[in-house]
Amino acid sequence: MTAHGTDRPLPLSVDRTSPVPLYFQLAQQLEAAVEQGRLAPGALLGNEVDLAARLGLSRPTVRQAIQSLVDKGLMVRRRGVGTQVVHSKVRRPLELSSLYDDLEAAGQRPATSVLRNTTEPATAEVAAALGVAEGGEVHLVERLRSAHGEPMALLRNHLPLGLLPLATEELEATGLYRLMRTGGITLHSARQTVGACAADDRQARALSEPVGAPLLTMERTTYDDTGRVVEFGSHVYRADRYAFEFQLLVRA
């Protein structure tokens, strides 16, 4: 088991003086390596006996650590192959941030393909969200966002016409919100709805999923610090690679 892109063993250790169970310490380190891309999809963990000997652990302890990651969907046991990394699942906090920035922060190496960067007449839904006349021209940006070479999300964003120049090359190099901030737009707040849908033909092809596969959906209307609507996003995400995290507080 080596760090991605190197021949060096993945640095792993356990603290026997800690009250944290040894299997859980190992599982946390392996999960972090997957999330940060140091154990890439397809990587093999190697022999459990060798890993146990290297760390001075019993084989059942190592097996328990690995099984916890199998249960989370991060790894899979394949007959005749061994334990293999499947992928990491992005857990995105519900806050005003971009998927690009969140993936970068998680060490996921995001990549973007721009599918459409054009203008089009606003539908009733888009017009209501942006506060423009139905049928009026708006800017449409549609992108496919990937991580580790695997498609994760299909992103559609409508913006008021003339808000800021959006070159395709820039959209493929960084995130939309980062371009907005660079263009002098101060993002302030958003109204967001999270839901689910079944993949249609186009979504399935783009995300490498079967038709009818469950997808997460998110619609967001974003405002700047003057109260102006600056974008309306309508996104779909692979449910096996993506999750939204909520923090719930008790109302006094």
Side-chain angles (χ1 to χ4, degrees):
M1 178 171 46
T2 59
H4 181 54
T6 77
D7 294 325
R8 290 178 286 103
L10 192 69
L12 298 170
S13 63
V14 294
D15 180 1
R16 298 179 184 280
T17 65
S18 171
V20 178
L22 296 176
Y23 89 90
F24 191 71
Q25 293 183 44
L26 177 57
Q28 283 187 311
Q29 292 174 72
L30 291 173
E31 182 172 357
V34 174
E35 296 288 356
Q36 295 164 11
R38 290 182 288 132
L39 278 177
L44 292 171
L45 285 194
N47 190 294
E48 290 181 1
V49 175
D50 292 341
L51 182 57
R54 176 183 155 194
L55 296 174
L57 299 173
S58 68
R59 187 175 180 184
T61 297
V62 172
R63 186 182 300 117
Q64 185 178 8
I66 293 174
Q67 185 60 47
S68 70
L69 300 184
V70 171
D71 293 341
K72 287 185 176 183
L74 298 178
M75 297 180 183
V76 64
R77 297 182 189 273
R78 302 189 189 280
R79 186 180 299 275
V81 176
T83 304
Q84 192 170 28
V85 176
V86 182
H87 51 62
S88 58
K89 188 167 187 175
V90 175
R91 292 172 173 82
R92 186 177 182 184
L94 281 179
E95 58 187 32
L96 189 50
S97 62
S98 74
L99 175 58
Y100 190 94
D101 291 341
D102 290 339
L103 288 171
E104 267 199 341
Q108 292 280 338
R109 298 196 303 273
T112 306
S113 297
V114 175
L115 307 180
R116 298 177 68 190
N117 183 14
T118 185
T119 60
E120 68 174 15
T123 64
E125 180 185 30
V126 171
L130 295 182
V132 300
E134 183 176 352
E137 290 292 299
V138 293
H139 196 145
L140 166 66
V141 174
E142 186 172 32
R143 297 158 294 159
L144 180 66
R145 181 66 44 75
S146 303
H148 298 300
E150 192 174 5
M152 291 190 59
L154 189 60
L155 314 174
R156 285 173 57 88
N157 296 82
H158 287 90
L159 301 88
L161 202 63
L163 181 70
L164 79 164
L166 291 172
T168 296
E169 295 78 11
E170 293 178 325
L171 288 165
E172 290 187 336
T174 189
L176 178 60
Y177 281 6
R178 194 174 294 181
L179 290 175
M180 286 186 175
R181 291 191 292 266
T182 301
I185 296 171
T186 301
L187 303 175
H188 179 266
S189 61
R191 185 175 64 251
Q192 179 168 288
T193 303
V194 176
C197 71
D200 61 25
D201 289 344
R202 185 169 183 271
Q203 293 166 340
R205 285 195 303 272
L207 296 173
S208 299
E209 290 277 63
V211 173
L215 301 176
L216 291 173
T217 67
M218 186 268 282
E219 288 190 351
R220 176 187 282 180
T221 304
T222 306
Y223 304 84
D224 69 5
D225 57 348
T226 70
R228 173 183 56 165
V229 178
V230 292
E231 65 105 9
F232 171 63
S234 181
H235 305 164
V236 292
Y237 306 86
R238 283 179 53 175
D240 65 336
R241 296 296 315 276
Y242 204 82
F244 290 101
E245 286 192 341
F246 297 79
Q247 182 178 13
L248 305 179
L249 302 176
V250 175
R251 179 175 293 179

